[in-house]
Amino acid sequence: MAIDAGFGAIGFLAARVLFGGLLAFQGLNNFQNAETMTGYAQAKGVPAARANVLLSGGILVFGGLGIVFGAFPAIAAGAVAIFLLVVTPMMHNFWAVPKDQQQAEMTNFIKNLELLGATVVFLALGSEPWAYALDIGL
């Protein structure tokens, strides 16, 4: 199944720019707010919290830009999927936090599962031709 012409190609490009661009933005946020995010990660018991905050930022930037530009899209989407699979239950464990924090953590947990679902779509299409893509690693 190729998404390489017409409205489908334009819609898919818009989805790539929105989804991948926001992932990359979230990754940049990890770098810009590294101190705050490190404190949060430490509170969640993440080992080497600062290094992992920076690593996760790098994964999100790489994955997001890979999806936007169609560069190594399967690897980019796969990296984001693994990130979400690891980070979601660790950082948003709503079942193990005080009651006053449960709603916020559950909201972030659900959001990450939604992101994972979208990521799996890009992963599934990672070996197909993408219109308006760099076509590197396809």
Side-chain angles (χ1 to χ4, degrees):
M1 173 177 98
I3 303 174
D4 57 5
F7 182 73
I10 294 169
F12 190 61
L13 174 61
R16 288 173 25 216
V17 169
L18 288 169
F19 183 74
L22 288 171
L23 286 174
F25 176 78
Q26 287 179 310
L28 291 174
N29 186 53
N30 280 26
F31 296 113
Q32 292 173 334
N33 297 304
E35 293 305 317
T36 301
M37 297 187 84
T38 298
Y40 180 64
Q42 287 171 332
K44 290 291 189 167
V46 174
R50 181 169 178 80
N52 278 309
V53 164
L54 297 176
L55 175 64
S56 65
I59 290 169
L60 289 170
V61 170
F62 166 76
L65 292 179
I67 290 169
V68 168
F69 293 112
F72 300 99
I75 295 170
V80 173
I82 291 168
F83 163 79
L84 290 168
L85 284 169
V86 171
V87 168
T88 300
M90 179 183 293
M91 297 302 292
H92 304 300
N93 55 342
F94 62 90
W95 56 90
V97 298
K99 191 155 185 73
D100 65 327
Q101 297 172 16
Q102 285 180 346
Q103 187 60 53
E105 292 295 352
M106 183 185 292
T107 298
N108 285 318
F109 184 89
I110 291 169
K111 173 199 53 107
N112 278 14
L113 291 182
E114 293 165 346
L115 291 172
L116 178 60
T119 301
V120 170
V121 171
F122 286 106
L123 181 58
L125 295 172
S127 63
E128 298 293 328
W130 291 8
Y132 311 113
L134 293 179
D135 290 331
I136 300 170
L138 285 174

